[in-house]
Amino acid sequence: AGTIDMGNSPNWQAEVAAELDSPNMLICNPRRDDEIFDESDINFQIRWELNQIRRADAVFMYFAPGSLSPITLLELGLIIQMPKKKFVVVCPKTYSRYQNVRLTIDEFRRPNMMVNETLHGGIEDLRSILR
């Protein structure tokens, strides 16, 4: 889960997927190829993302600097209410709503949730939480 900005943000998902590539792991990436994305299909996309969040053993979330990421904030609120879900949140200090994210996470912190300020640190946290 995390910043996509209708495909205008950096493709951080590809970097995470490449770092975590393993035959023992299925990664569900919500970023779709702009060439195949059909605006009339937005309800399918939203339902697919919500279903994958519910089904996942763990969720990795990234807030990209320079983005408002309103859907990511919504997803944070949903996932944080799933106490059994393993959850890694990456939120750099330069993200526009950093303080909102940090205070919310601090309020709902649990043992199976980790927070990092760097993408690579978050990837290592996910590896650790999945062990």
Side-chain angles (χ1 to χ4, degrees):
T3 305
I4 294 178
D5 289 336
M6 298 303 290
N8 294 319
S9 67
N11 191 349
W12 60 269
Q13 296 91 342
E15 186 175 346
V16 171
E19 288 285 328
L20 295 172
D21 187 30
S22 165
N24 300 321
M25 188 179 304
L26 173 64
I27 297 173
C28 299
N29 183 351
R31 186 180 285 256
R32 294 171 58 160
D33 187 339
D34 289 343
E35 294 176 14
I36 65 166
F37 186 73
D38 177 1
E39 286 295 330
S40 66
D41 203 15
I42 192 69
N43 288 339
F44 174 82
Q45 178 72 20
I46 294 166
R47 286 186 181 105
W48 182 88
E49 290 181 28
L50 291 171
N51 190 41
Q52 299 314 310
I53 286 171
R54 279 193 291 269
R55 293 178 58 214
D57 294 324
V59 175
F60 183 94
M61 177 175 283
Y62 178 69
F63 289 90
S67 171
L68 296 177
S69 299
I71 302 304
T72 306
L73 289 168
L74 172 69
E75 291 169 341
L76 172 68
L78 291 171
I79 299 164
I80 217 160
Q81 297 297 320
M82 300 174 177
K84 295 181 181 178
K85 184 80 60 190
K86 295 174 184 172
F87 190 28
V88 173
V89 178
V90 176
C91 187
K93 286 184 178 179
T94 53
Y95 170 64
S96 62
R97 297 288 183 245
Y98 171 81
Q99 199 62 27
N100 297 77
V101 171
R102 288 306 301 218
L103 287 172
T104 300
I105 288 169
D106 288 346
E107 195 68 26
F108 291 90
R109 187 170 297 279
R110 56 186 194 253
N112 60 347
M113 182 169 75
M114 300 178 90
V115 183
N116 209 299
E117 293 178 7
T118 69
L119 193 60
H120 292 289
I123 291 168
E124 290 307 313
D125 287 345
L126 185 60
R127 284 187 178 123
S128 172
I129 209 167
L130 289 173
R131 285 189 199 115

